[in-house]
Amino acid sequence: MSRPYENSHEGEAEDVSGAEAQVIPLHGPGREKPDSAAQADRDLRESEEAQEHLEQERRADAPVVEFPGTARVSPARTRPADADLLPAPLRSALGFLRDRLTGDYTVDEFGFDAELTETLLLPPLRALYEKWFRVDTFGVENLPTDGGALLVSNHSGTLPLDALMTAVAVHDHVPGGRYLRGLGADLVFQVPLVGSFARKSGQTLACNADAERLLRKGELVGVWPEGFKGIGKPFASRYKLQRFGRGGFVSAALRTGVPIIPVSVIGAEEIYPKLGEIKLLARVLGLPYFPVTPFFPLLGPLGAVPLPTKWSIEFGEPIRTDTYDADAVDDPMLVFTLTDQVRESIQQSLYKRLSQRKSVFKG
């Protein structure tokens, strides 16, 4: 059965001459279809969110005026600006102190502390290297930028300042700032404070076991085969190389296959001209010698100031050891021959540099 208003609606649609009927929804206000209402709500929410986002962007771009007593600036943003106001050495020192207090630093198996070396030890040595001894360096291209090598040098100067200056030369002239890991005598590590700083700066005991471990790790290792015979020789014997021992350093190089680099140092012989020694005092103090120079012990501590001689350090051409067989280290004749070759290379380099030097203090 049909309703009256439905019949009336159909009649009106048929009376229109050939035109398509228009259907007008009969739902009253407040009775919209559920799908249309949900879509309208979503559109309204999206419009409001877009307006809120634009408003936030405008507020972010607007200049912020801070009133007295307010602290709305983030500390993370002010820290770099404050840090830039401090000199680089002071920033480095503060960072070093922070790491020491928090324990946020590392040392290797030999006790080497790279941060302490860079912050405390190298700067004063570098000043001595550049301003006092005015060191000229030659043959830096012979030093490898990576991988192990054994640096063999002459030794002189009463105190081992030549080893320290060679370490500065290696660090400052080799790309990447490589460290020279020196092999020191037992006495160095027995002296209070000196032994501790020697360990922290990368030095270790002069024995084949430690030398080979360092070389296999790809380190630059320094050795001074003359030992106390070289560093404590009298002024009359300056620049005359003493005996190089039994060639233990050559054995370490052969076992690890690293090159041997001869190093010659000019200028260290004259910083403390040794005229004699007091043997009784040396025995009492447990020292290999107690030197007598023109100024020490006559002037006391002032006599311990080294003379400002002009230095030169030359790194010679590498002598390869990786071309020998594995059992070559057991051949004493080969070890002796290589030891003599290294010694002769250093001696000839010393003579050559001395012949070109015009003045002890001007070079």
Side-chain angles (χ1 to χ4, degrees), residues 99-112:
D99 292 343
R100 297 294 120 172
L101 293 174
T102 59
D104 187 18
Y105 63 94
T106 59
V107 297
D108 71 3
E109 57 184 309
F110 296 93
F112 174 50

Side-chain angles (χ1 to χ4, degrees), residues 91-228:
R91 289 201 305 271
S92 177
L94 291 175
F96 172 76
L97 290 175
R98 182 193 63 241
D99 292 343
R100 297 294 120 172
L101 293 174
T102 59
D104 187 18
Y105 63 94
T106 59
V107 297
D108 71 3
E109 57 184 309
F110 296 93
F112 174 50
D113 188 335
E115 185 184 34
L116 183 141
T117 301
E118 290 279 0
T119 307
L120 290 186
L121 302 182
L122 279 177
L125 292 177
R126 186 175 292 115
L128 200 63
Y129 177 95
E130 296 176 350
K131 306 299 182 182
W132 193 254
F133 296 133
R134 297 149 291 141
V135 182
D136 291 330
T137 307
F138 305 93
V140 178
E141 64 277 4
N142 292 322
L143 296 172
T145 56
D146 54 35
L150 185 66
L151 280 64
V152 183
S153 177
N154 62 308
H155 213 13
S156 61
T158 306
L159 291 179
L161 293 180
D162 53 353
L164 300 177
M165 295 300 101
T166 304
V168 175
V170 169
H171 181 274
D172 289 0
H173 292 286
V174 177
R178 302 196 68 183
Y179 298 100
L180 181 63
R181 310 297 295 270
L183 303 179
D186 298 358
L187 179 62
V188 174
F189 302 99
Q190 294 171 1
V191 178
L193 191 63
V194 174
S196 176
F197 272 104
R199 284 286 184 188
K200 292 181 183 298
S201 64
Q203 319 309 308
T204 189
L205 194 63
C207 64
N208 274 18
D210 284 359
E212 291 174 21
R213 285 167 63 196
L214 286 168
L215 291 171
R216 286 194 175 96
K217 290 177 61 178
E219 301 285 355
L220 297 179
V221 178
V223 62
W224 294 262
E226 293 177 280
F228 291 119

Side-chain angles (χ1 to χ4, degrees), residues 227-249:
F228 291 119
K229 300 187 303 294
I231 196 174
K233 63 179 176 287
F235 188 66
S237 300
R238 60 192 180 277
Y239 298 113
K240 296 178 181 178
L241 294 182
Q242 305 299 299
R243 186 171 174 269
F244 265 26
R246 299 177 181 179
F249 66 92

Side-chain angles (χ1 to χ4, degrees), residues 332-349:
M333 197 61 193
L334 174 62
V335 172
F336 174 80
T337 301
L338 286 176
T339 302
D340 191 61
Q341 180 183 352
V342 174
R343 184 180 182 277
E344 188 63 23
S345 175
I346 296 173
Q347 186 68 79
Q348 292 303 318
S349 177

